[in-house]
Amino acid sequence: MSDRLEPPERYERNYRSADIDSLLSKDKNEAATVIRPKKSFSSIRKGDIFIAGAFDVPFFALTMVILAIGLVMLFSASYPYSYYKYDNSYHYFLRQLIFAAVGVVAMLIISKINFNVFKAFQPIILVVSLALLCIVLVYHTDLSSEAGESFKRYIKIPGTSLTFQPSDIAKFALILTLAAYISKKADKMHTIKDGFFIPALIICVFCVLIVLENHVSGTILMFLIGIAMMYAGGTKKWLFAVGIAVVAAGMFVAVTNPDILPEYVTDKIEAWLDKDTDPLGTRWQVNNSLYAIGSGSLFGVGLGNSKQKYLYVSEPQNDFIFSIVCEELGFVGAAIIILLFAALVVRGILIALRTTDKYASLTVIGIITQVGVQVALNILVVTDSIPNTGIALPFFSYGGTALLMLFIEMGVVLAVSRKSNQKKV
């Protein structure tokens, strides 16, 4: 047997030196066309789907701490109303707990998925989201205002008592779509056409569909997410100055002429402007929210000891849960929760800034903007600083599908953090 190992015949290369010189002298573009065969689905490697490395522990820890506090406060705020409506004090808490458990598992699984997978599936997510936003306009749960206006926000899952809100999925779809577009057009984002009109058109499509649902708070949130991503993506700053001026003018016209808006919006604006308006109607929820906040004082009345949750603050497990937090935990407890949310947002921004992939960075910015804006708007509403828009407090307010989508987004942030060039601590 020969001491020299000969390669199998299929690996033999019999190029002469002259052949090699001619190959090296070929035009680069010509050589590039014959280099690599296309990868078939069957040959996709594990590394193409899953991602290795440690995720950002501080971001994960902040998420879990906020969730734990949110679940405790949800139970404390909801059990009187839950017992009154369902004869079961644990109705809202147990349902939220199930979605939280499923959400945490989903977050951990998604944190292992390569974020490029979401980029590949972005067109499908976009089409599905837009389709659901159209379907909900004709197939939705029956919910209307006192004026008879129909709210087309929830789709009932056939054969179950569960519903979901397509706008929750639409937020994620908008973030992925803008991240894909802006990263692709990064060198043209300074132009008016590619950097302003086209992304603005994408945002408008989502906003118009959500406006048709009579969902003002969802529209505002979608708009602000889109604007933040355009700003981060490189849209000219002077365009934002013009946009802010136009929006401010529009808001002034709407506030001074509320009759041009839908009646349920008009009622909320009038109730915000005139604090004596209909104290047993449009001002009821906000007034009792302020009573709850005032009762909390510095250190609160104690966990579980709120009085306003006993059918004074309407459905305290939802948009106005923060007022019960203030009543039971006081200014100090509320401030700690706000600081935890601020820390989560800051940590998310750090992950985005330290990520070399523009698509991943923009996706994280969009997700973190969503969380930060929702928290800010919810607190402004609860404190009567802006009209009552009916926007949820992330991780606190009751809502299974909203919580599940939130955890999916947190999973994406953690997945990006595995590839970011930051030091894990």
Side-chain angles (χ1 to χ4, degrees):
M1 182 176 179
S2 172
D3 293 334
R4 184 178 177 185
L5 287 174
E6 296 293 337
E9 184 178 347
R10 64 178 178 275
Y11 289 121
E12 287 183 1
R13 296 290 184 266
N14 295 318
Y15 293 127
R16 295 172 299 174
S17 60
D19 296 329
I20 294 174
D21 291 338
S22 66
L23 284 171
L24 292 175
S25 65
K26 282 182 178 286
D27 181 74
K28 291 181 181 178
N29 292 331
E30 182 182 348
T33 61
V34 295
I35 290 295
R36 197 180 298 150
K38 291 185 178 181
K39 185 181 294 184
S40 66
F41 181 79
S42 60
S43 63
I44 293 177
R45 298 171 300 170
K46 182 180 178 181
D48 295 329
I49 299 177
F50 299 102
I51 191 169
F55 60 53
D56 192 74
V57 175
F59 187 87
F60 173 74
L62 285 166
T63 300
M64 297 307 295
V65 169
I66 293 172
L67 171 66
I69 297 173
L71 287 173
V72 171
M73 291 311 307
L74 175 70
F75 174 66
S76 180
S78 68
Y79 70 78
Y81 182 72
S82 181
Y83 183 80
Y84 169 77
K85 188 171 184 179
Y86 297 101
D87 199 27
N88 177 7
S89 299
Y90 300 94
H91 176 82
Y92 292 115
F93 173 72
L94 289 178
R95 290 166 72 98
Q96 189 83 340
L97 185 62
I98 292 170
F99 277 100
V102 174
V104 171
V105 172
M107 176 179 68
L108 293 174
I109 293 173
I110 289 170
S111 75
K112 290 288 293 180
I113 297 177
N114 191 323
F115 56 81
N116 286 318
V117 172
F118 293 97
K119 187 175 184 179
F121 280 93
Q122 175 269 319
I124 298 175
I125 296 173
L126 173 63
V127 171
V128 170
S129 175
L130 292 177
L132 289 173
L133 289 177
C134 293
I135 290 170
V136 76
L137 298 178
V138 294
Y139 175 73
H140 51 266
T141 56
D142 294 327
L143 185 65
S144 60
S145 67
E146 293 181 0
E149 295 158 314
S150 177
F151 297 110
K152 308 164 186 177
R153 301 179 185 179
Y154 295 91
I155 293 177
K156 189 177 187 300
I157 300 175
T160 72
S161 61
L162 298 176
T163 61
F164 71 95
Q165 197 167 207
S167 60
D168 290 327
I169 301 172
K171 297 169 196 170
F172 187 48
L174 176 65
I175 291 168
L176 294 181
T177 301
L178 285 178
Y181 173 81
I182 294 172
S183 61
K184 183 178 179 180
K185 299 285 186 178
D187 57 340
K188 296 182 179 179
M189 285 301 291
H190 64 281
T191 65
I192 294 180
K193 175 190 172 184
D194 294 308
F196 180 76
F197 282 118
I198 295 179
L201 179 63
I202 295 171
I203 297 168
C204 284
V205 169
F206 280 91
C207 287
V208 167
L209 288 173
I210 295 176
V211 163
L212 294 175
E213 298 178 8
N214 276 341
H215 193 180
V216 173
S217 60
T219 305
I220 294 171
L221 182 57
M222 200 75 69
F223 175 77
L224 293 176
I225 291 171
I227 292 300
M229 294 187 69
M230 287 174 62
Y231 184 88
T235 299
K236 285 288 187 181
K237 305 301 181 284
W238 67 267
L239 289 171
F240 286 97
V242 174
I244 290 172
V246 172
V247 171
M251 291 176 62
F252 177 77
V253 171
V255 170
T256 54
N257 300 276
D259 292 340
I260 64 176
L261 300 171
E263 187 169 345
Y264 78 97
V265 179
T266 301
D267 292 341
K268 291 180 178 181
I269 292 177
E270 289 178 349
W272 177 63
L273 293 173
D274 184 359
K275 309 304 181 185
D276 295 326
T277 299
D278 195 10
L280 298 180
T282 53
R283 284 289 305 181
W284 173 266
Q285 190 175 35
V286 175
N287 283 345
N288 281 283
S289 171
L290 296 176
Y291 297 152
I293 294 171
S295 300
S297 189
L298 190 60
F299 296 105
V301 298
L303 184 63
N305 294 329
S306 164
K307 293 181 175 60
Q308 295 303 120
K309 66 187 178 185
Y310 286 92
L311 307 186
Y312 289 100
V313 174
S314 307
E315 298 194 20
Q317 77 281 359
N318 281 334
D319 306 335
F320 278 72
I321 190 172
F322 191 72
S323 64
I324 307 302
V325 171
C326 293
E327 184 180 7
E328 296 192 347
L329 304 184
F331 174 81
V332 173
I336 290 173
I337 291 170
I338 292 173
L339 289 175
L340 286 172
F341 274 116
L344 184 74
V345 171
V346 169
R347 194 67 194 181
I349 292 173
L350 288 176
I351 291 171
L353 293 178
R354 294 172 179 174
T355 301
T356 56
D357 187 282
K358 192 171 185 66
Y359 168 78
S361 179
L362 286 167
T363 299
V364 173
I365 287 172
I367 291 171
I368 292 303
T369 298
Q370 175 189 329
V371 174
V373 169
Q374 274 196 236
V375 172
L377 291 179
N378 179 271
I379 293 174
L380 289 172
V381 167
V382 167
T383 56
D384 200 26
S385 301
I386 61 174
N388 185 353
T389 58
I391 198 161
L393 183 64
F395 299 107
F396 279 70
S397 295
Y398 174 75
T401 52
L403 184 63
L404 186 58
M405 284 302 305
L406 192 57
F407 273 116
I408 289 173
E409 292 174 339
M410 297 301 101
V412 173
V413 175
L414 290 175
V416 171
S417 75
R418 292 182 190 271
K419 289 288 286 185
S420 65
N421 59 352
Q422 63 181 352
K423 184 184 293 183
K424 304 296 186 297
V425 294

